[in-house]
Amino acid sequence: MQENKRKRILITGAAGFLGSHLCDRFIEEDFHVIAMDNLVTGDLKNIEHLFKLPNFEFYHHDVSKFVHVPGELHYILHFASPASPIDYLKIPIQTLKVGSLGTHNLLGLAKSKEARILVASTSEVYGDPLVSPQAEEYWGNVNPVGPRGVYDEAKRFQEAMTMAYHNFHGLETRIARIFNTFGPRMRLEDGRALPTFISQALQHKDLTVFGDGMQTRSFIYVSDQVEGIYRLLFSDYCLPINIGNPDEMRLLDMAKEIIALTSSQSSIVFEPLPIDDPKQRRPDISKAKKVLDWQPKVNRKEGLMKTIHYYQTLFNSNIH
Ligand code: NAD
C-alpha cells in the first residue's frame, strides 16, 4: 500500500513484551507503526527486525513527559508501563506517573489528532479478588498503600481518566483488562512466576514457589492476547473488557508441569508469599466472547511448548 494511504498507529511500550508483538501484528496488517519507548524495562532487540521497514519508526521517549508525534494519527495503543512486581517495586514513582501522567498525555494527543485510543489496563485492578471468576462489573479489592498499590492504583486511575475523556470529550476509547500473558520475549528475570519457572527449569535450578503454591493464576498465550486487543480496538465497545484465558491453575501445578515439559532435573522449593499477592485470578470472558466474538485458541500445553522452545534456542545460542 502507498505510504500516504496507510493508517498510522502509535504504540507506546513498543520495545516491551506485549508492545513488540503488537508492532508485529500491525505491521502485518500494513499499518504505519510509530513505536515509542523509554527502554526502562524494554529491549530494542524485541523490535530491531522492524527497523529496516519503511512503515516503522521508533521514538526513544518517556511518555510521562509531553508527547508529540508529527503528522496524522488514527490509533493509539498505550502499553507503556512496568508490568511485573519486581519492576514496579524498583521504580514505584515512574510506575504511578506512566499510568497517570502518561495516560493523560496520550489521551490529550488522541484528542488533538482525533485518534481512537486503547489503553492497557490489567486484572490487577481487581486486586486480591473476593469473587471468582472476575467479571468486569466487580470493583475489586485493592490495598492502595500496599507495595502493589503503585501499579494497581495507577491502572485504576488510568481507567477513570480514560472514561472521563470518553464521557466529557466524546473521545473514542477502549480499555483492555489484560490477564497474565506469556510467550516469547517475556523477560525471564522479571520475577513473574511463569518466566521464572521456565528459566529455572531450563537451567536445572530449583523452582521457587511462593507460599504453598495453592494460589491460582490463569495464563493466556500472547497470540490470543494480541488477537483480543486487535478485535477490541476495532469494536465499538468502550467499557473495560477482560482479555484472558479462564484456564485457571495452581502455581504449584504449573511448576510441576514446566519441570515435566522441559524434562528438567529441578526440584521445587517454597518461599514466603509476597505482601498482597492475589490468591486467585480467573477472568470471566463472557463479554469478550459476545462483543468481540473472541476466545483463546492456544491451549496451555501448546503455548508452553512454544515458549519453552523459544527460550531453549536462546539459551543454546548464548552457550555457543
Ligand atoms: P514490559 O515491561 O515488557 O513492557 C513495557 C514497556 O513499556 C517497556 O518496553 C518499557 O520500557 C516501556 N515503558 C515503561 N515506562 C515507560 C515510559 N514512561 N515511557 C515510555 N515507555 C515506557 O511489559 P508488558 O508485559 O509488555 O506489559 C505491557 C503493558 O500491558 C503494560 O501496560 C502492562 O501493565 C500491561 N499488562 C501486561 C500484562 C502481562 O501479563 N504481560 C498483564 C496485564 C497488563
Side-chain angles (χ1 to χ4, degrees):
M1 191 190 286
Q2 272 181 339
E3 185 55 31
N4 61 3
K5 297 227 174 88
R6 281 195 174 107
K7 294 282 184 202
R8 290 163 61 86
I9 184 164
L10 169 67
I11 303 181
T12 76
F17 165 49
L18 289 182
S20 65
H21 283 282
L22 287 163
C23 287
D24 287 342
R25 176 65 187 266
F26 281 87
I27 288 287
E28 261 170 50
E29 302 284 347
D30 208 22
F31 279 70
H32 183 100
V33 173
I34 301 157
M36 193 173 276
D37 203 296
N38 69 352
L39 304 181
V40 66
T41 60
D43 190 338
L44 280 184
K45 280 203 192 93
N46 291 333
I47 46 172
E48 65 187 1
H49 57 287
L50 303 174
F51 274 66
K52 57 185 181 304
L53 301 176
N55 53 329
F56 182 82
E57 52 187 305
F58 176 73
Y59 288 79
H60 186 182
H61 183 69
D62 178 350
V63 300
S64 300
K65 304 202 170 115
F66 178 74
V67 181
H68 170 69
V69 173
E72 274 189 309
L73 208 50
H74 303 96
Y75 302 101
I76 298 175
L77 298 180
H78 178 30
F79 276 67
S81 170
S84 88
I86 281 198
D87 289 333
Y88 57 73
L89 295 178
K90 254 191 267 166
I91 45 172
I93 296 173
Q94 285 182 52
T95 303
L96 279 158
K97 280 169 82 173
V98 72
S100 55
L101 304 180
T103 300
H104 187 217
N105 287 335
L106 290 155
L107 288 166
L109 181 69
K111 181 168 170 273
S112 71
K113 301 277 187 184
E114 296 178 13
R116 180 181 296 179
I117 180 168
L118 181 151
V119 298
S121 185
T122 167
S123 55
E124 300 294 324
V125 299
Y126 300 122
D128 189 4
L130 304 176
V131 300
S132 190
Q134 295 86 50
E136 290 83 350
E137 289 73 24
Y138 178 51
W139 290 352
N141 176 37
V142 171
N143 174 3
V145 293
R148 304 171 75 101
V150 296
Y151 181 69
D152 304 2
E153 293 296 359
K155 292 289 187 180
R156 288 167 70 97
F157 177 91
Q158 176 183 63
E159 290 196 3
M161 180 68 111
T162 302
M163 284 314 296
Y165 263 72
H166 174 76
N167 292 328
F168 190 73
H169 291 304
L171 194 70
E172 286 203 55
T173 57
R174 307 287 180 266
I175 300 174
R177 285 193 183 147
I178 297 169
F179 281 66
N180 288 345
T181 308
F182 73 102
R185 301 189 195 146
M186 294 182 298
R187 262 176 36 250
L188 287 188
E189 71 287 4
D190 81 359
R192 282 184 272 194
L194 214 145
T196 307
F197 290 165
I198 292 177
S199 164
Q200 291 167 328
L202 288 177
Q203 296 175 81
H204 303 288
K205 292 181 179 164
D206 290 345
L207 272 65
T208 42
V209 169
F210 293 134
D212 58 6
M214 292 297 124
Q215 67 277 33
T216 66
R217 297 289 182 271
S218 306
F219 294 99
I220 174 170
Y221 188 66
V222 63
S223 58
D224 284 332
Q225 183 63 254
V226 165
E227 181 63 26
I229 290 161
Y230 189 83
R231 287 188 188 211
L232 175 59
L233 180 67
F234 297 111
S235 76
D236 54 11
Y237 193 75
C238 61
L239 291 172
I241 196 155
N242 291 338
I243 311 280
N245 191 330
D247 176 24
E248 184 180 23
M249 199 177 190
R250 289 182 183 141
L251 280 182
L252 180 59
D253 296 330
M254 177 60 89
K256 288 180 185 161
E257 185 162 304
I258 288 174
I259 290 178
L261 290 176
T262 51
S263 312
S264 175
Q265 284 136 37
S266 305
S267 309
I268 292 176
V269 293
F270 295 88
E271 290 196 353
L273 203 60
I275 301 171
D276 294 338
D277 196 58
K279 284 178 268 315
Q280 52 184 4
R281 268 275 176 277
R282 180 170 185 232
D284 177 337
I285 57 165
S286 339
K287 206 152 278 158
K289 278 186 179 164
K290 192 164 153 223
V291 176
L292 309 178
D293 187 24
W294 167 92
Q295 60 181 325
K297 285 195 188 130
V298 180
N299 73 42
R300 188 179 63 237
K301 212 171 228 166
E302 188 189 344
L304 280 174
M305 283 317 295
K306 284 185 184 176
T307 311
I308 289 167
H309 178 71
Y310 171 85
Y311 286 108
Q312 259 161 347
T313 315
L314 213 65
F315 274 42
N316 290 342
S317 66
N318 285 342
I319 291 166
H320 300 300

Coordinates of all heavy atoms in Angstrom, one line a residue, residues 12-19 36-43 46 61-64 78-84 87 94 98 120-124 151 155 158 177-182 185 187 190 192, ligand 1:
T12 N 2.8 2.7 22.4 CA 3.8 3.0 23.5 C 4.1 1.7 24.2 O 3.3 0.8 24.3 CB 3.2 4.1 24.5 OG1 2.2 3.4 25.3 CG2 2.5 5.2 23.8
G13 N 5.3 1.7 24.7 CA 5.8 0.5 25.4 C 6.1 -0.6 24.3 O 6.1 -1.8 24.5
A14 N 6.5 0.0 23.1 CA 6.7 -0.9 21.9 C 7.9 -1.9 22.0 O 7.9 -2.9 21.4 CB 6.9 0.0 20.7
A15 N 8.9 -1.5 22.8 CA 10.0 -2.4 23.0 C 9.8 -3.5 24.0 O 10.7 -4.3 24.3 CB 11.3 -1.6 23.3
G16 N 8.7 -3.5 24.6 CA 8.4 -4.5 25.7 C 7.8 -5.8 25.1 O 7.7 -5.9 23.9
F17 N 7.4 -6.7 26.0 CA 6.8 -8.0 25.6 C 5.6 -7.8 24.7 O 5.6 -8.1 23.5 CB 6.6 -8.8 26.9 CG 5.7 -10.0 26.7 CD1 6.0 -10.9 25.7 CD2 4.7 -10.2 27.6 CE1 5.2 -12.1 25.6 CE2 3.9 -11.3 27.5 CZ 4.1 -12.3 26.5
L18 N 4.5 -7.2 25.3 CA 3.3 -7.1 24.5 C 3.4 -6.1 23.4 O 2.9 -6.3 22.3 CB 2.1 -6.7 25.4 CG 1.7 -7.8 26.4 CD1 0.5 -7.3 27.3 CD2 1.3 -9.1 25.7
G19 N 4.0 -5.0 23.7 CA 4.1 -3.9 22.7 C 4.8 -4.4 21.4 O 4.4 -4.1 20.3
M36 N 7.0 3.8 20.4 CA 7.6 4.8 21.4 C 7.9 4.0 22.7 O 7.1 3.2 23.1 CB 6.6 5.9 21.7 CG 7.2 7.0 22.4 SD 6.0 8.4 22.6 CE 6.2 9.2 21.0
D37 N 9.1 4.3 23.2 CA 9.5 3.6 24.4 C 10.7 4.3 25.1 O 11.5 4.9 24.4 CB 9.9 2.1 24.1 CG 9.8 1.2 25.2 OD1 10.5 1.4 26.2 OD2 9.0 0.2 25.2
N38 N 10.8 4.3 26.4 CA 12.0 4.9 27.0 C 12.9 3.8 27.5 O 13.9 4.1 28.1 CB 11.6 5.8 28.2 CG 11.0 5.0 29.4 OD1 10.8 3.8 29.3 ND2 10.8 5.6 30.5
L39 N 12.6 2.5 27.2 CA 13.5 1.4 27.4 C 13.8 1.1 28.9 O 14.8 0.5 29.2 CB 14.8 1.5 26.6 CG 14.7 1.7 25.1 CD1 16.0 1.9 24.4 CD2 13.9 0.6 24.5
V40 N 12.9 1.6 29.8 CA 13.1 1.4 31.2 C 13.0 -0.1 31.6 O 13.8 -0.6 32.4 CB 12.2 2.3 32.0 CG1 10.7 1.9 31.9 CG2 12.6 2.3 33.5
T41 N 12.1 -0.8 30.9 CA 12.1 -2.3 31.1 C 12.1 -3.0 29.8 O 12.2 -4.3 29.7 CB 10.8 -2.8 31.9 OG1 9.7 -2.4 31.1 CG2 10.8 -2.2 33.3
G42 N 12.1 -2.3 28.7 CA 12.0 -2.9 27.3 C 13.4 -3.2 26.8 O 14.4 -2.8 27.4
D43 N 13.4 -3.7 25.6 CA 14.7 -4.1 24.9 C 14.5 -3.9 23.4 O 13.6 -4.5 22.8 CB 15.0 -5.6 25.2 CG 16.4 -6.0 24.8 OD1 17.0 -5.3 24.0 OD2 16.9 -6.9 25.4
N46 N 13.7 -6.6 20.8 CA 12.3 -7.1 20.5 C 11.8 -6.5 19.2 O 10.8 -7.1 18.7 CB 11.4 -6.8 21.7 CG 11.7 -7.6 22.9 OD1 12.3 -8.7 22.8 ND2 11.4 -7.0 24.1
H61 N 11.4 7.8 24.0 CA 10.8 8.9 24.7 C 10.0 8.4 25.9 O 9.4 7.3 25.9 CB 9.8 9.6 23.7 CG 9.2 10.8 24.4 ND1 9.9 12.0 24.7 CD2 7.9 11.0 24.8 CE1 9.1 12.8 25.2 NE2 7.8 12.3 25.3
D62 N 10.1 9.2 27.0 CA 9.3 8.9 28.2 C 7.9 9.5 28.0 O 7.8 10.8 28.0 CB 10.1 9.5 29.4 CG 9.3 9.3 30.7 OD1 8.2 8.9 30.7 OD2 9.9 9.6 31.7
V63 N 6.9 8.7 28.0 CA 5.5 9.2 27.7 C 4.9 10.0 28.9 O 3.9 10.6 28.8 CB 4.6 8.1 27.2 CG1 5.1 7.5 25.9 CG2 4.3 7.1 28.3
S64 N 5.6 9.9 30.1 CA 5.1 10.7 31.2 C 5.5 12.2 31.0 O 5.0 13.0 31.8 CB 5.8 10.2 32.5 OG 5.4 8.8 32.7
H78 N -1.8 2.4 24.2 CA -0.9 2.9 25.3 C -0.6 1.7 26.1 O -1.4 1.3 27.0 CB -1.7 4.0 26.1 CG -0.9 4.4 27.3 ND1 0.5 4.4 27.3 CD2 -1.2 4.9 28.5 CE1 0.9 4.9 28.5 NE2 -0.1 5.2 29.2
F79 N 0.6 1.1 25.9 CA 1.1 -0.1 26.6 C 2.3 0.2 27.5 O 2.8 -0.7 28.1 CB 1.3 -1.2 25.6 CG 0.1 -2.0 25.3 CD1 -0.9 -1.4 24.6 CD2 -0.1 -3.3 25.7 CE1 -2.1 -2.0 24.3 CE2 -1.3 -4.0 25.5 CZ -2.3 -3.3 24.8
A80 N 2.8 1.4 27.5 CA 4.0 1.7 28.3 C 3.6 1.6 29.8 O 2.7 2.3 30.2 CB 4.5 3.1 27.9
S81 N 4.3 0.8 30.5 CA 4.3 0.7 31.9 C 5.1 -0.5 32.4 O 5.0 -1.5 31.7 CB 2.8 0.5 32.4 OG 2.8 0.2 33.8
P82 N 5.9 -0.3 33.4 CA 6.4 -1.5 34.0 C 5.3 -2.4 34.4 O 4.2 -2.0 34.7 CB 7.1 -1.0 35.3 CG 7.3 0.4 35.1 CD 6.1 0.9 34.2
A83 N 5.5 -3.8 34.2 CA 4.3 -4.6 34.4 C 4.5 -5.8 35.4 O 3.6 -6.5 35.7 CB 4.0 -5.2 33.0
S84 N 5.8 -5.9 35.9 CA 6.0 -7.0 36.8 C 6.3 -6.4 38.2 O 6.9 -5.3 38.3 CB 7.1 -7.9 36.4 OG 8.3 -7.4 36.9
D87 N 9.7 -5.0 38.8 CA 10.0 -3.7 38.1 C 9.3 -2.6 38.8 O 9.9 -1.6 39.1 CB 9.5 -3.8 36.6 CG 10.3 -4.7 35.8 OD1 11.5 -4.9 36.1 OD2 9.8 -5.2 34.8
Q94 N 7.8 6.2 38.9 CA 7.7 6.2 37.5 C 6.5 5.4 37.1 O 5.8 5.6 36.1 CB 8.9 5.6 36.8 CG 10.1 6.5 36.8 CD 11.3 5.9 36.2 OE1 11.2 5.4 35.1 NE2 12.5 5.8 36.9
V98 N 3.5 6.9 34.8 CA 3.2 6.5 33.4 C 1.7 6.1 33.3 O 1.1 6.3 32.3 CB 4.2 5.4 32.9 CG1 3.9 4.0 33.6 CG2 4.1 5.2 31.4
A120 N -3.9 -0.1 28.0 CA -3.7 -1.5 28.6 C -3.9 -1.4 30.1 O -3.1 -0.9 30.8 CB -2.2 -1.9 28.3
S121 N -5.1 -1.8 30.5 CA -5.3 -2.0 31.9 C -4.9 -3.4 32.3 O -4.3 -4.1 31.5 CB -6.8 -1.7 32.3 OG -6.9 -1.7 33.7
T122 N -5.4 -3.8 33.5 CA -4.9 -5.1 34.0 C -5.9 -5.8 34.9 O -6.7 -5.1 35.5 CB -3.5 -4.9 34.7 OG1 -3.2 -6.0 35.5 CG2 -3.6 -3.7 35.7
S123 N -5.7 -7.1 35.0 CA -6.5 -7.8 36.0 C -6.2 -7.4 37.4 O -6.9 -7.6 38.4 CB -6.2 -9.3 35.9 OG -4.8 -9.6 36.0
E124 N -5.0 -6.7 37.6 CA -4.6 -6.2 38.9 C -5.6 -5.1 39.5 O -5.6 -4.8 40.6 CB -3.2 -5.6 38.9 CG -2.1 -6.6 38.5 CD -1.9 -7.8 39.5 OE1 -2.1 -7.5 40.7 OE2 -1.7 -8.9 39.1
Y151 N 1.1 0.2 41.2 CA 0.7 -0.3 39.9 C -0.8 -0.4 39.8 O -1.4 0.2 38.8 CB 1.3 -1.7 39.7 CG 1.0 -2.4 38.3 CD1 1.5 -1.9 37.2 CD2 0.2 -3.5 38.3 CE1 1.3 -2.5 35.9 CE2 -0.1 -4.2 37.1 CZ 0.5 -3.6 35.9 OH 0.3 -4.3 34.7
K155 N -3.3 2.0 37.4 CA -4.1 1.4 36.4 C -5.6 1.8 36.6 O -6.4 2.0 35.7 CB -3.9 -0.1 36.3 CG -2.6 -0.5 35.8 CD -2.4 -0.2 34.3 CE -1.1 -0.7 33.8 NZ -0.9 -0.4 32.3
Q158 N -5.9 5.2 35.5 CA -5.9 5.2 34.0 C -7.3 4.9 33.5 O -7.8 5.6 32.5 CB -4.9 4.1 33.5 CG -4.9 3.9 32.0 CD -4.0 2.8 31.6 OE1 -4.2 1.7 31.9 NE2 -2.9 3.2 30.9
R177 N -8.7 -5.0 29.9 CA -8.2 -5.6 31.2 C -7.4 -6.9 30.9 O -8.1 -7.9 30.7 CB -9.3 -5.8 32.2 CG -9.8 -4.5 32.8 CD -10.7 -4.7 34.0 NE -11.2 -3.4 34.4 CZ -12.4 -3.2 35.0 NH1 -13.2 -4.3 35.2 NH2 -12.8 -2.0 35.4
I178 N -6.1 -6.7 30.9 CA -5.3 -7.8 30.4 C -4.9 -8.8 31.6 O -4.5 -8.3 32.7 CB -4.0 -7.2 29.8 CG1 -4.4 -6.4 28.6 CG2 -3.0 -8.3 29.5 CD1 -3.2 -5.6 28.0
F179 N -5.1 -10.0 31.4 CA -4.7 -11.0 32.4 C -3.4 -11.6 32.0 O -2.9 -11.5 30.9 CB -5.8 -12.2 32.5 CG -7.0 -11.8 33.3 CD1 -7.9 -10.8 32.9 CD2 -7.3 -12.4 34.5 CE1 -9.0 -10.4 33.6 CE2 -8.4 -12.0 35.3 CZ -9.2 -11.0 34.8
N180 N -2.7 -12.3 33.0 CA -1.3 -12.8 32.8 C -1.1 -13.4 31.4 O -1.8 -14.4 31.1 CB -1.0 -13.9 33.8 CG -0.9 -13.3 35.2 OD1 -0.7 -12.1 35.4 ND2 -0.9 -14.2 36.2
T181 N -0.2 -12.8 30.7 CA 0.1 -13.3 29.4 C 1.5 -13.9 29.3 O 2.4 -13.4 30.0 CB -0.1 -12.1 28.4 OG1 -1.3 -11.5 28.6 CG2 0.0 -12.5 26.9
F182 N 1.7 -14.9 28.5 CA 3.0 -15.4 28.4 C 3.4 -15.8 26.9 O 2.5 -15.9 26.1 CB 3.2 -16.7 29.2 CG 2.4 -17.9 28.7 CD1 3.1 -18.9 28.0 CD2 1.1 -18.0 28.8 CE1 2.5 -20.0 27.5 CE2 0.4 -19.1 28.3 CZ 1.1 -20.1 27.7
R185 N 9.7 -13.5 24.2 CA 10.0 -12.1 24.5 C 9.6 -11.7 25.9 O 9.8 -10.5 26.3 CB 9.5 -11.1 23.5 CG 9.9 -11.4 22.1 CD 9.5 -10.2 21.2 NE 9.6 -10.6 19.8 CZ 8.8 -10.2 18.8 NH1 7.9 -9.3 19.1 NH2 9.0 -10.6 17.6
R187 N 10.5 -11.2 29.7 CA 11.8 -11.1 30.3 C 11.9 -12.2 31.4 O 11.1 -12.2 32.3 CB 12.1 -9.8 30.9 CG 12.9 -8.9 30.0 CD 13.1 -7.5 30.4 NE 13.3 -7.3 31.8 CZ 12.4 -6.7 32.5 NH1 11.3 -6.2 32.1 NH2 12.7 -6.4 33.8
D190 N 12.1 -11.2 35.1 CA 11.2 -10.1 35.6 C 10.5 -10.5 36.8 O 9.6 -9.7 37.3 CB 10.3 -9.6 34.4 CG 9.1 -10.4 34.2 OD1 8.9 -11.5 34.9 OD2 8.3 -10.0 33.4
R192 N 8.1 -12.6 37.4 CA 6.8 -13.2 37.3 C 6.9 -14.7 37.3 O 7.9 -15.3 36.8 CB 6.0 -12.7 36.1 CG 5.5 -11.3 36.4 CD 4.7 -10.8 35.2 NE 5.5 -10.1 34.3 CZ 5.0 -9.3 33.3 NH1 3.7 -9.2 33.2 NH2 5.8 -8.8 32.4
Ligands
NAD1 P1 7.1 -4.8 29.5 O1 7.8 -4.3 30.7 O2 7.7 -5.9 28.7 O3 6.8 -3.6 28.5 C1 6.5 -2.3 28.9 C2 7.3 -1.3 28.1 O4 6.9 0.0 28.4 C3 8.8 -1.5 28.2 O5 9.4 -1.6 26.9 C4 9.2 -0.2 28.9 O6 10.5 0.2 28.6 C5 8.1 0.8 28.4 N1 7.9 1.9 29.3 C6 7.7 1.9 30.7 N2 7.5 3.2 31.1 C7 7.6 4.0 30.1 C8 7.5 5.4 29.9 N3 7.3 6.2 30.9 N4 7.7 5.9 28.7 C9 7.9 5.1 27.6 N5 8.0 3.8 27.7 C10 7.8 3.2 28.9 O7 5.6 -5.2 30.0 P2 4.5 -6.0 29.2 O8 4.3 -7.3 29.9 O9 4.7 -6.0 27.7 O10 3.2 -5.0 29.5 C11 2.8 -4.1 28.6 C12 1.5 -3.4 29.1 O11 0.5 -4.4 29.3 C13 1.7 -2.7 30.5 O12 0.9 -1.5 30.4 C14 1.1 -3.7 31.5 O13 0.6 -3.0 32.6 C15 0.0 -4.3 30.7 N6 -0.3 -5.7 31.2 C16 0.6 -6.7 30.9 C17 0.3 -8.0 31.4 C18 1.2 -9.2 31.1 O14 0.8 -10.3 31.5 N7 2.3 -9.1 30.4 C19 -0.8 -8.2 32.2 C20 -1.6 -7.1 32.5 C21 -1.4 -5.9 31.9

